[in-house]
Amino acid sequence: IAGVTGRAVKFATGRARPSIKTEVHWNGPRLSSKYHAFPSGHVAASSAFFVTLFFARKRIGAPLLVIPVLIGLSRMVVGAHYLSDVTFAAILGVISALLAAHWFSIRSPQSAISN
């Protein structure tokens, strides 16, 4: 969900990466990866995965939620994304995880026993 949505937004917005020197940051539909900064696909996918894991197994997933944060920071440090690219991608990942959890009715073992 996060990957497909993120790719569609990337192609539609055409946001230049921070490393690209241009007057216009939002360029409309572009095929070049130099204009696919918004949103960060790495952050969207990792957020969706680790938030879904968190919903399924809180004890395992909670400490692993730091991984998408570190990925987002690294994407900004290397100059591939702006903060807004990473923030939107994290939100997209969380929404995707919520949809997946709802769709597959992910439950912890404890809640399955009590039902």
Side-chain angles (χ1 to χ4, degrees), residues 11-102:
F11 284 113
T13 59
R15 185 172 194 187
R17 294 191 182 274
S19 60
I20 303 300
K21 304 299 180 213
T22 180
E23 295 285 323
V24 182
H25 292 288
W26 299 92
N27 299 289
R30 296 282 181 125
L31 295 178
S32 173
S33 64
K34 294 178 183 178
Y35 297 93
H36 291 168
F38 183 83
S40 169
H42 292 91
V43 174
S46 64
S47 295
F49 177 80
F50 287 109
V51 171
T52 303
L53 180 62
F54 171 75
F55 289 150
R57 301 287 185 262
K58 289 186 180 24
R59 285 186 56 191
I60 297 169
L64 297 177
L65 289 175
V66 73
I67 293 173
V69 173
L70 294 174
I71 291 172
L73 290 172
S74 73
R75 300 302 291 160
M76 290 186 296
V77 167
V78 299
H81 293 286
Y82 296 101
L83 177 61
S84 57
D85 303 337
V86 171
T87 303
F88 182 82
I91 293 168
L92 177 62
V94 169
I95 291 170
S96 298
L98 287 168
L99 289 172
H102 178 72

